[in-house]
Amino acid sequence: MNEGQKAAVGYALGLVATAAQVGYSLWIGPQPKAEQPAPSLAVWLANQLGFWALAWLTATLACTPLRHWTGAKWPALWRKRLGLTAFALACLHVTVWLVGEKRADLAAVGADFAEKPWLVFGLMTFLVLVTLAATTPTVVVKRLGGVRWRQVHRLIYPAGLLAILHYALREDADAQHWIGFALLISLLLWARRYPPATKTSR
Ligand code: HEM
C-alpha cells in the first residue's frame, strides 16, 4: 500500500470508529444517573461524545511516550488517525450541544457560558484541536516546516489538561472518570517529558 492509500485507510478507520462511538451511545440510549432521571437525548449524546473525545485524545497523547519507551514505530503512524478521530468526536460533541441543546440560539449559548464557566476550558480545548486538525494535511506541514509544525503540535499536551479541567469543574462530574483521565494524562505527560535516556526527543 502506498502512503496515500495508508492515509486513506487511516481516515476511514477514524470515521468508522467515530460512527461506532455514536452508534453505541444511541444504542444504549439515555441512562438515569444516581437519583437523577435519564437526561434528554441531546444531553446524553453530548456527554457520551465528550467522554469519547477525551478518551481518543488520551490515546493520541499515548503515542509518542509509547514510541519512546517501546522503540516501536506503529504508535507514530497511529497518532494522526487517533488525533483526527478525537477531533471528529469533539466536533460532534460541540454540534450536539450547540444545535441539539441550544437550538443554535446565541443568547442561550452566551447564557450557558455565563452560568457554566467550565465551558470556557471546553472552548479552549476545541480551539486547540481545530488548530491541530488544520495543520495536519501534508501541504500545511510542508508550508509550516518541521520546527514550527512540532511547536504547534505540542499544544496537544495543554489540550489534554484543559479537557480535564472542562470535565472536572462540572458540578455533577463523575469523579471516578475525570480523576482516572487526570492520572492517565499526567502519567503520559511525565513519560513524554522524561523519555528513557536512549531515546532522542521528538
Ligand atoms: C466549545 C467547546 C465545548 C463546549 C461548549 C462543551 C460543552 C459541554 C457541555 C455542555 C457538557 C455537559 C453535557 C451537556 O450538558 O450537554 C460537556 C461535557 C463534557 N465535555 Fe465538552 N464542550 C466543549 C468542548 C469539549 C472538548 C474539545 C472535549 C474533549 C476533547 C470535551 C469533553 C467533554 C467531557 C469529557 C465531558 C463530560 C462527559 C461526561 O460527563 O461523561 N468538551 N461539554
Side-chain angles (χ1 to χ4, degrees):
M1 247 199 286
N2 66 31
E3 283 313 306
Q5 288 165 330
K6 278 189 197 154
V9 168
Y11 294 143
L13 283 174
L15 279 178
V16 168
T18 306
Q21 225 61 92
V22 176
Y24 169 73
S25 301
L26 287 173
W27 178 62
I28 55 176
Q31 302 292 317
K33 211 157 74 176
E35 275 75 55
Q36 292 164 2
S40 70
L41 182 61
V43 170
W44 162 256
L45 205 48
N47 270 319
Q48 286 282 305
L49 291 165
F51 180 89
W52 291 111
L54 180 53
W56 288 84
L57 180 60
T58 307
T60 311
L61 284 167
C63 292
T64 302
L66 258 179
R67 180 165 68 83
H68 285 169
W69 286 79
T70 66
K73 291 244 176 317
W74 63 263
L77 293 174
W78 277 91
R79 191 176 45 225
K80 186 194 288 190
R81 298 158 188 175
L82 295 173
L84 288 173
T85 305
F87 174 64
L89 289 163
C91 288
L92 290 172
H93 169 63
V94 174
T95 306
V96 169
W97 170 76
L98 192 59
V99 179
E101 290 182 50
K102 302 300 149 194
R103 306 271 175 253
D105 171 355
L106 290 185
V109 166
D112 219 20
F113 268 88
E115 191 195 316
K116 304 168 182 170
W118 49 271
L119 291 182
V120 173
F121 296 114
L123 178 61
M124 292 164 75
T125 312
F126 189 63
L127 293 176
V128 170
L129 295 184
V130 168
T131 309
L132 301 183
T135 53
T136 292
T138 314
V139 279
V140 182
V141 177
K142 286 202 178 110
R143 199 171 305 153
L144 273 176
V147 175
R148 271 196 304 167
W149 183 86
R150 274 197 285 280
Q151 284 165 346
V152 170
H153 277 254
R154 287 212 174 108
L155 287 173
I156 193 169
Y157 301 110
L161 298 177
L162 288 167
I164 294 287
L165 281 176
H166 171 61
Y167 196 175
L169 296 176
R170 258 186 79 182
E171 307 77 39
D172 54 353
D174 188 320
Q176 271 183 344
H177 285 167
W178 72 259
I179 292 172
F181 277 121
L183 290 174
L184 193 51
I185 289 182
S186 308
L187 175 71
L188 292 173
L189 293 185
W190 175 85
R192 172 71 183 84
R193 177 68 186 78
Y194 301 104
T198 53
K199 300 293 169 210
T200 57
S201 73
R202 179 167 85 102

